[in-house]
Amino acid sequence: MGLALRNGFISIEIVAALTGRHFTKRLQVPEGTMIKQAIKFSEIKEFYPVINWSTLKIGIHGKIVHPETILHQNDRIEIYRPLIVDPKEKRKLKIKSK
């Protein structure tokens, strides 16, 4: 069941799987809240204290977005960890090893 909404607020979710730990949090935030503000409200940076946040990409429902993006009802903010190996490079290495 969803959270009961207060007037002027929207319901969002923030998810991340960084350093082997999974973070999920549902929040109600004021309408007009930006992603970077919602991340601060979520306290995710305390959950992952050693992460270099400037290197991470952020998305909403699988699409990369800017931290100043305004959130809408039921948006799911996804925080992506950097790739360990570029997928194209991985395929090249796999072919060479055969």
Side-chain angles (χ1 to χ4, degrees):
M1 274 259 226
L3 300 170
L5 287 179
R6 298 179 287 171
N7 281 340
F9 283 77
I10 59 172
S11 180
I12 62 158
E13 183 176 23
I14 298 179
V15 297
L18 309 171
T19 67
R21 297 176 66 197
H22 183 74
F23 179 91
T24 301
K25 192 167 196 176
R26 291 194 64 69
L27 298 170
Q28 284 189 12
V29 296
E31 291 177 352
T33 297
M34 291 183 280
I35 289 175
K36 67 181 183 180
Q37 294 169 314
I39 289 172
K40 190 173 187 175
F41 295 152
S42 76
E43 299 176 343
I44 190 173
K45 291 183 179 182
E46 287 78 20
F47 190 78
Y48 296 114
V50 296
I51 296 294
N52 179 357
W53 290 89
S54 65
T55 64
L56 302 180
K57 295 200 183 305
I58 301 167
I60 294 181
H61 300 291
K63 292 185 178 182
I64 301 293
V65 293
H66 198 270
E68 279 82 30
T69 300
I70 301 294
L71 294 165
H72 298 92
Q73 177 66 19
N74 296 323
D75 274 350
R76 175 185 164 104
I77 300 168
E78 300 160 345
I79 301 172
Y80 308 116
R81 64 178 174 243
L83 294 175
I84 296 170
V85 177
D86 178 7
K88 290 179 184 178
E89 193 62 35
K90 187 175 180 179
R91 283 191 292 272
K92 288 177 187 177
L93 292 172
K94 188 175 180 180
I95 291 169
K96 285 182 183 180
S97 69
K98 288 186 177 183

